[in-house]
Amino acid sequence: MTRLRLAVVLGLLGIVAGQEGGEVQPEDLTKALCTDKGPGEWFRLAVTDCRDVIQCTEAGLQALRCPHGLAFDLELQTCDWRGNVNNCDKKVKTKKVKPLLRTVEPLCEENFLACGDGVCMDQQLFCDSKPDCADGSDENSCDVDNDPNRAPLCNQKDCNLPDCYCYHDPSEIPNNYNINDVPQMITITFDDAINNNNNDLYQLIFNGRYNPNGCSIKSTFFVSHKYTNYTSVQEMHRLGHEIAVHSISHNTSEDFWTDASQDLWEREMAGARVIVERFANITDSSVIGIRAPYLRVGGNNQFTMMEKNQFLYDSTITAPLSPTPLWPYTLYYRMPHVCHGNAQKCPTRSFAVWEMVMNEMDRREEPALEAELPGCAMVDSCFSSKPTADQFFNFLNNNFDRHYLTNRAPLGLFFHSAFLKNDPEILDAFLFWLDETLATYKDVYFVTMTQVIQWMQDPKPNNQLNAYEAWRDKCEVNSQPNCVGGSDCELNTEELPGETLRLNTCMRCPNKYPWLLDPLGEGFF
């Protein structure tokens, strides 16, 4: 963003004054413009250029111009790619009527609240994703601080493992364990399709590497549907890696995931599980986790769907970078950190769901010497330019130390496979770091997300982990694959007209390409 000098603002004001056809003093026009504007609110004087906006400040008007190729989104109050902005024909942000939740004297009887127009409604109707007030105000003040039905603050007296975990201080460790007894768990995850483009990468990373208990290191794969080879998914599951879901469509609109209804979330995520279980022949009910595309949290609709469909955990919510990382927590109580990210919609109510929180990583090479920078969640988003192998190696060590030397909260390394696959030097640095970490530390374990929850629910100290049954399932798999190659099904579906898609599976080819309304590919919906 480029902040313009006062002369430019006055020039813009002059244009507007001229359009009004009269001689107007800048001070009078400024007063008129700012009468109904909120503090810090950016708005337009004209719709001729979507890059230009102004703001009212105590010192007068301040102007801002987005860089070339960008436009200003009034609703998000930030510059964005021009194609993403659909309010260039508007001058001001849409004003939403707020409910009258806090008044000097109560306006309604007990368990009722007032809409913006003063009409009383049942409290349970507020923030349920369905407008009930005539002015829609019951759905206009629904963040974690204002939802009248929000989850309570952590109550450790009533919240006990194995079913519930909340905390007041990040330094707390589950079950009050001594830090020297706590294994440093590391969760390597990969998002998107598993197919021939990355099979060899996964073999290179996971084959022949073992945790201190003698079991092969494990990962969690958040699988999106399109372009996925389900024969490969079946093989990853056979080897003991965890399969979770990342949606069917991977819809490219971030707003889609923010605003999706419970029904859409169910079609995308529960439908994705149906596809994975059928075509990767997963029959052990182990597909229990989700991650939303683009890390866009779907608010209460997402988590209501998860409860309804018995998903155990979500791994979408990001916690801002802090000196002490966070342990996973359950959502019976309020989140122990801010809802982090631009325009995110975090859950506000109580849910029987674990949040495998994504602790942001520190991108600095020398954290002790350099000024603070914003953190990053996905590893491939942590570098503005291609890092050297040494930079990446130091990045991994710095973030490992931040977890290992504080509270040993699980360290998440969240990847898209192309980041490693397309850069041999970075891949070599990662493999070297894996080998050095496993050789140096006898209390570091590369585990799945479900295995982290298992340890929190039934913890064992480091000296008992060799015989820890929860981590010995598929400890080391020596059997041969159940299927090699599979069937390459060439399919289409009325849901994606004009597209012919391939689905590789060891199961029988479906009649149609599985999609949102027909996840089994039966050909009718």
Side-chain angles (χ1 to χ4, degrees):
M1 296 185 186
T2 304
R3 295 182 185 276
L4 306 183
R5 284 181 276 182
L6 183 59
V8 178
V9 180
L10 293 176
L12 291 170
L13 287 172
I15 293 173
V16 175
Q19 290 175 340
E20 296 296 329
E23 193 67 32
V24 181
Q25 295 300 316
E27 310 86 57
D28 297 333
L29 187 53
T30 300
K31 184 177 180 180
L33 287 170
C34 295
T35 298
D36 60 346
K37 304 299 187 299
E41 179 185 344
W42 295 98
F43 58 97
R44 298 189 225 285
L45 288 174
V47 295
T48 53
D49 192 335
C50 201
R51 295 168 59 200
D52 292 326
V53 287
I54 63 172
Q55 179 188 63
C56 300
T57 70
E58 291 184 359
L61 292 173
Q62 183 179 34
L64 178 147
R65 172 168 289 169
C66 295
H68 286 286
L70 303 184
F72 194 87
D73 190 316
L74 289 174
E75 299 305 318
L76 298 180
Q77 291 284 289
T78 187
C79 294
D80 198 355
W81 296 110
R82 180 63 181 82
N84 294 340
V85 179
N86 57 14
N87 48 53
C88 287
D89 58 337
K90 299 179 180 177
K91 293 184 179 182
V92 296
K93 180 179 180 179
T94 303
K95 297 290 191 298
K96 294 183 177 180
V97 180
K98 298 295 181 72
L100 304 176
L101 300 180
R102 298 175 181 87
T103 56
V104 177
E105 295 292 335
L107 299 180
C108 306
E109 60 186 285
E110 188 176 0
N111 298 323
F112 279 72
L113 296 172
C115 302
D117 57 7
V119 175
C120 294
M121 291 277 184
D122 189 317
Q123 177 176 318
Q124 296 302 318
L125 297 176
F126 284 70
C127 300
D128 64 352
S129 300
K130 293 177 291 187
D132 293 289
C133 294
D135 54 14
S137 59
D138 56 309
E139 303 301 319
N140 289 342
S141 188
C142 293
D143 58 26
V144 71
D145 294 318
N146 293 295
D147 183 348
N149 302 298
R150 60 188 176 273
L153 294 171
C154 174
N155 180 347
Q156 291 178 318
K157 181 180 178 181
D158 296 331
C159 182
N160 299 294
L161 288 164
D163 299 320
C164 181
Y165 184 65
C166 67
Y167 45 84
H168 300 294
D169 189 318
S171 63
E172 297 175 24
I173 296 175
N175 295 286
N176 296 315
Y177 257 45
N178 183 290
I179 189 171
N180 293 321
D181 290 327
V182 178
Q184 178 59 65
M185 293 172 278
I186 301 177
T187 55
I188 299 173
T189 76
F190 288 93
D191 288 8
D192 300 335
I194 299 177
N195 52 37
N196 295 336
N197 292 331
N198 46 37
N199 278 332
D200 57 342
L201 170 69
Y202 301 147
Q203 292 175 11
L204 194 60
I205 292 173
F206 298 110
N207 288 2
R209 290 186 168 84
Y210 299 91
N211 284 317
N213 63 351
C215 298
S216 57
I217 66 174
K218 300 296 195 292
S219 178
T220 297
F221 293 87
F222 292 93
V223 180
S224 56
H225 172 48
K226 209 171 187 181
Y227 311 119
T228 280
N229 180 321
Y230 288 97
T231 302
S232 299
V233 175
Q234 182 172 339
E235 176 63 8
M236 299 307 292
H237 177 258
R238 184 187 74 87
L239 293 173
H241 299 289
E242 180 178 13
I243 305 302
V245 293
H246 195 45
S247 82
I248 292 178
S249 73
H250 206 287
N251 191 300
T252 56
S253 169
E254 295 185 13
D255 289 342
F256 171 86
W257 302 102
T258 301
D259 301 328
S261 65
Q262 292 178 33
D263 181 62
L264 286 175
W265 274 102
E266 186 167 17
R267 290 187 186 280
E268 289 280 4
M269 297 302 181
R273 178 166 60 188
V274 168
I275 293 172
V276 165
E277 290 180 338
R278 167 63 68 88
F279 298 105
N281 195 25
I282 297 176
T283 59
D284 58 4
S285 301
S286 62
V287 183
I288 53 178
I290 76 170
R291 176 173 291 160
Y294 312 107
L295 305 185
R296 297 298 292 195
V297 188
N300 293 335
N301 283 341
Q302 174 190 341
F303 290 85
T304 301
M305 178 280 300
M306 293 182 67
E307 274 193 336
K308 177 183 175 183
N309 290 277
Q310 298 181 323
F311 282 104
L312 175 65
Y313 73 83
D314 166 73
S315 183
T316 303
I317 296 176
T318 299
L321 177 65
S322 64
T324 306
L326 301 179
W327 278 84
Y329 51 86
T330 54
L331 286 166
Y332 290 110
Y333 293 90
R334 205 174 308 180
M335 289 166 41
H337 58 90
V338 298
C339 184
H340 185 58
N342 184 33
Q344 284 286 35
K345 185 189 289 185
C346 293
T348 60
R349 301 194 177 188
S350 179
F351 296 101
V353 173
W354 280 84
E355 182 55 43
M356 302 301 292
V357 62
M358 301 176 72
N359 286 294
E360 281 195 331
M361 290 171 282
D362 194 330
R363 67 182 78 213
R364 296 171 296 176
E365 287 187 67
E366 298 288 344
L369 302 178
E370 297 179 45
E372 290 186 7
L373 292 173
C376 48
M378 301 295 294
V379 173
D380 29 319
S381 70
C382 292
F383 305 95
S384 57
S385 58
K386 179 182 174 181
T388 65
D390 286 343
Q391 287 173 328
F392 186 56
F393 183 79
N394 291 335
F395 162 84
L396 293 170
N397 277 331
N398 291 339
N399 284 284
F400 174 85
D401 288 344
R402 190 167 57 88
H403 287 249
Y404 188 79
L405 300 177
T406 55
N407 63 350
R408 298 206 180 167
L411 168 62
L413 298 176
F414 312 122
F415 292 98
H416 294 98
S417 62
F419 178 78
L420 297 172
K421 175 79 174 179
N422 296 342
D423 194 327
E425 290 184 1
I426 293 300
L427 176 58
D428 286 345
F430 181 59
L431 298 177
F432 182 80
W433 179 81
L434 278 177
D435 291 333
E436 183 178 77
T437 301
L438 289 168
T440 304
Y441 299 93
K442 298 308 176 186
D443 53 1
V444 173
Y445 290 79
F446 291 85
V447 296
T448 68
M449 296 222 159
T450 293
Q451 287 177 318
V452 171
I453 296 174
Q454 288 172 327
W455 186 88
M456 292 181 68
Q457 292 181 321
D458 180 25
K460 293 292 185 289
N462 283 313
N463 61 11
Q464 296 182 27
L465 289 178
N466 283 348
Y468 185 37
E469 284 299 318
W471 286 4
R472 297 203 68 81
D473 182 44
K474 297 184 180 179
C475 176
E476 184 180 7
V477 180
N478 295 314
S479 60
Q480 294 300 309
N482 300 321
C483 167
V484 178
S487 300
D488 193 16
C489 315
E490 189 172 302
L491 303 164
N492 53 44
T493 171
E494 286 75 10
E495 294 185 68
L496 300 171
E499 291 191 54
T500 299
L501 299 155
R502 294 186 178 276
L503 183 143
N504 190 284
T505 177
C506 288
M507 309 301 286
R508 179 183 63 83
C509 287
N511 298 324
K512 296 287 185 177
Y513 188 72
W515 204 247
L516 293 168
L517 300 177
D518 183 22
L520 292 177
E522 294 174 336
F524 50 85
F525 49 85

